[in-house]
Amino acid sequence: MRVLGVDPGLTRCGVGVVEGVAGRPLTMLGVGVVRTPADADTGPRLVGIERGIEEWLDRYEPELVAVERVFSQHNVRTVMGTAQASAVAMLCAARRGLPVALHTPSEVKAAVTGSGRADKAQVGAMVTRLLRLSAPPKPADAADALALAICHIWRAPAQNRLQQAVAQNRLQQAIALHASKGRPS
Amino acid sequence: MRVLGVDPGLTRCGVGVVEGVAGRPLTMLGVGVVRTPADADTGPRLVGIERGIEEWLDRYEPELVAVERVFSQHNVRTVMGTAQASAVAMLCAARRGLPVALHTPSEVKAAVTGSGRADKAQVGAMVTRLLRLSAPPKPADAADALALAICHIWRAPAQNRLQQAVAQNRLQQAIALHASKGRPS
């Protein structure tokens, strides 16, 4: 499974591609940052993000895009930029028919470090170890994008099992409903 | 001046095109709503919004797109959807090289009703009157999109004067700085 992780942001949008399956060593295919000038208008900045994400999708052809889920509990201005950049990433993926998965920052931290409250340095150290890199990817946004991709690959089997269980349950309910309707009242 | 107003939202994204200049009667060229199913994933919904906005841009060829400025003071979930839909509208405009103007809800209300705290009904009534329509556009999102376009057309002369004054001031400062540097110390 090949996943593009996106740590959304208008000034620095982290991007990282990881390939592998849960339980086996993972491989980093690429990592970087899409940047737009902080003094530009939002419209052109979003065009810059779109162009950058498209280049990464063209180059690495991931099967899925994992994007950080944005919460509005932080600083208002930052949240808006993050929400806008993540919308562009989701749009680019969906336009190609690629599935989009959202993971919260604490899910990502917990997946790669074991603690949902790990700091940037810890996440960077674990990403370096898990992908067998010689040094932590910089800036932190790039490392976070890789962590998102790793998180998705590791959580995917559990999520698939959950989805299968839900689908199975719905099917059984539908069968039961159909059977009860079929009975004469 | 022809303006496309966009009242962003994932479920209902209001769109309205108004033509005219400040101080003259305005004309509505079109009004509507771009809808996406509430139970669909965000990625495909953003693709739906993009397709809708593109159709409006193709059909009416506005010179400018006025979008409601999103604040995060409201409900978290709503704000995220609004921020994402507005990002797509801004992206579509900027990709065509169209300027994007942001106006706050209270600026829009104040422009069309005289009060920044007017309710939906008041805004609808004034939009109906100002555009000489036979009935208020429905849903409210459609009326709000028209109000945004009207607000922009009416505020544009003042904004242009302000921008000119700022530019003039900067130029004079640059000249003064240049003159002072030219002098022997």
Side-chain angles (χ1 to χ4, degrees):
Chain A
M1 154 170 254
R2 186 180 292 188
V3 175
L4 170 66
V6 178
D7 182 33
L10 278 185
T11 307
R12 288 185 307 277
C13 184
V15 277
V17 185
V18 177
E19 192 164 53
V21 290
R24 296 255 189 107
L26 303 169
T27 310
M28 180 185 86
L29 300 183
V31 65
V33 177
V34 176
R35 294 172 194 271
T36 72
D39 58 353
D41 285 336
T42 307
R45 297 183 79 179
L46 294 173
V47 175
I49 300 285
E50 180 186 46
R51 204 169 295 152
I53 299 283
E54 286 291 342
E55 278 172 19
W56 280 79
L57 292 172
D58 283 341
R59 188 161 169 193
Y60 293 100
E61 301 186 332
E63 291 149 64
L64 181 142
V65 178
V67 183
E68 188 180 292
R69 190 186 288 278
V70 183
F71 285 108
S72 99
Q73 65 211 17
H74 314 288
N75 175 290
V76 176
R77 276 195 96 173
T78 318
V79 165
M80 283 302 134
T82 311
Q84 289 162 341
S86 78
V88 172
M90 285 191 269
L91 176 69
C92 291
R95 217 160 37 194
R96 295 180 183 225
L98 295 179
V100 174
L102 300 173
H103 298 285
T104 66
S106 56
E107 281 169 357
V108 174
K109 287 174 189 172
V112 301
T113 74
S115 162
R117 283 176 290 172
D119 63 14
K120 293 256 173 214
Q122 238 183 306
V123 172
M126 282 308 296
V127 165
T128 309
R129 190 172 307 171
L130 295 167
L131 298 175
R132 291 152 292 138
L133 309 176
S134 53
K138 287 188 180 167
D141 314 77
D144 285 347
L146 292 171
L148 259 157
I150 296 170
C151 168
H152 184 78
I153 291 170
W154 283 356
R155 285 173 64 100
Q159 285 189 336
N160 291 344
R161 276 199 303 274
L162 186 67
Q163 281 165 2
Q164 279 166 10
V166 169
Q168 187 69 24
N169 189 25
R170 280 206 189 125
L171 182 65
Q172 284 170 347
Q173 281 182 342
I175 291 168
L177 187 69
H178 185 75
S180 72
K181 272 188 182 164
R183 279 180 218 149
S185 56
Chain B
M1 153 170 254
R2 185 180 293 187
V3 175
L4 170 67
V6 178
D7 182 33
L10 277 185
T11 306
R12 288 185 308 277
C13 184
V15 279
V17 185
V18 178
E19 191 162 54
V21 291
R24 297 254 188 108
L26 302 170
T27 310
M28 180 185 85
L29 300 184
V31 66
V33 176
V34 177
R35 294 172 196 270
T36 71
D39 58 352
D41 285 336
T42 308
R45 296 184 80 180
L46 295 173
V47 174
I49 299 284
E50 179 185 45
R51 203 169 295 153
I53 299 282
E54 287 291 342
E55 278 171 18
W56 280 79
L57 291 171
D58 283 343
R59 186 160 171 196
Y60 293 100
E61 300 185 335
E63 292 149 62
L64 182 141
V65 179
V67 182
E68 189 179 291
R69 190 186 288 279
V70 183
F71 285 108
S72 96
Q73 65 211 16
H74 315 287
N75 177 290
V76 176
R77 275 196 97 171
T78 318
V79 164
M80 284 302 136
T82 311
Q84 289 162 341
S86 78
V88 172
M90 286 191 269
L91 175 68
C92 292
R95 217 159 38 192
R96 294 179 182 227
L98 295 179
V100 175
L102 301 172
H103 298 285
T104 66
S106 55
E107 280 169 358
V108 174
K109 288 174 188 171
V112 302
T113 74
S115 163
R117 282 176 290 172
D119 63 14
K120 293 257 174 214
Q122 238 183 306
V123 171
M126 282 307 296
V127 164
T128 310
R129 190 172 307 172
L130 295 167
L131 298 175
R132 290 153 291 139
L133 308 176
S134 53
K138 285 186 180 167
D141 314 76
D144 285 347
L146 292 171
L148 259 158
I150 296 170
C151 169
H152 185 79
I153 292 171
W154 283 357
R155 286 174 63 100
Q159 285 189 336
N160 290 345
R161 279 200 301 275
L162 185 67
Q163 281 166 3
Q164 279 167 10
V166 169
Q168 187 70 26
N169 189 25
R170 278 203 191 131
L171 183 64
Q172 284 171 348
Q173 281 183 342
I175 291 168
L177 187 69
H178 186 75
S180 73
K181 272 189 181 163
R183 277 181 219 146
S185 55

